[in-house]
Amino acid sequence: MTTDTVTLRPVGRVVGGRSEMVEDDWHDVRAVIRLDGETFTASAVLGLEGFSHLEVVFLFDRIDPAKVRTDPRPPRGNPSATPVGIFAHRGPYRPNRLGVSRCRLLAVDGLNLHVADLDALSGTPILDIKPYLIEFAPRHPVTQPAWATELMSSYFRGVVDVLNGTFERSSQHSDYLLVARSIVRRDDAW
């Protein structure tokens, strides 16, 4: 195994939204991704306004690297859950403390990207941004264990409503319809 290190420079930071870690209810949390004006000009986001969603890579900068564990543990520390390995978790205590999120792009204003549903805290360093393309969605049925479905049931309110059939269709929530359609199999525990 290599012992090489990789150095990354943030392309921007999150401004606004949440300032404290909260596990659930990220739906419609509004924030701004402010790109670094010393590195970029508005030309860096030329054409981005034509996309509805972004994929954002960020650093869990508030996580102490010494507290990262790679041994199996229960999801979200739930003592009644079966332990799973580090790469079966999506939480912040990761070997490189990297987070990946898909969020809605609401507006592009110079180097300020107005977003919703970005589950990163105010001040978080943004490492990269890409437009989300439908063609990168899974091409085959998406499956996941029942514990993951239960765990995430309140993370983004709205998805649960789609899957339960209580969703009221509106253009504001069209992204949830895409997510719901990509989930082909649900466990009986749902």
Side-chain angles (χ1 to χ4, degrees), residues 2-9 96:
T2 182
T3 57
D4 294 343
T5 60
V6 176
T7 303
L8 300 174
R9 180 176 175 193
N96 289 313

Side-chain angles (χ1 to χ4, degrees), residues 100-178:
V100 178
S101 185
R102 288 192 185 131
C103 63
R104 290 183 288 148
L105 177 61
L106 304 175
V108 177
D109 179 21
L111 294 178
N112 291 326
L113 308 179
H114 297 261
V115 298
D117 309 331
L118 175 66
D119 54 344
L121 302 177
S122 185
T124 295
I126 301 298
L127 302 176
D128 203 1
I129 300 165
K130 293 183 178 186
Y132 178 75
L133 303 174
I134 293 171
E135 291 77 11
F136 282 99
R139 296 208 170 321
H140 301 283
V142 175
T143 61
Q144 64 188 33
W147 66 262
T149 302
E150 182 179 335
L151 185 77
M152 298 305 294
S153 66
S154 297
Y155 202 77
F156 290 111
R157 292 175 291 116
V159 173
V160 173
D161 298 331
V162 169
L163 296 175
N164 285 333
T166 59
F167 179 76
E168 292 183 28
R169 186 180 184 127
S170 74
S171 60
Q172 175 186 356
H173 297 97
S174 62
D175 51 323
Y176 288 118
L177 293 174
L178 289 173

Side-chain angles (χ1 to χ4, degrees), residues 52-98:
S52 64
H53 291 75
L54 302 175
E55 291 182 309
V56 179
V57 180
F58 58 92
L59 180 69
F60 287 114
D61 63 318
R62 291 168 180 89
I63 300 300
D64 179 354
K67 293 187 177 182
V68 172
R69 295 175 34 200
T70 58
D71 57 316
R73 65 185 193 282
R76 286 197 189 169
N78 180 349
S80 63
T82 302
V84 296
I86 187 69
F87 297 117
H89 284 268
R90 287 197 54 99
Y93 292 91
R94 314 198 58 72
N96 289 313
R97 300 179 302 142
L98 294 179

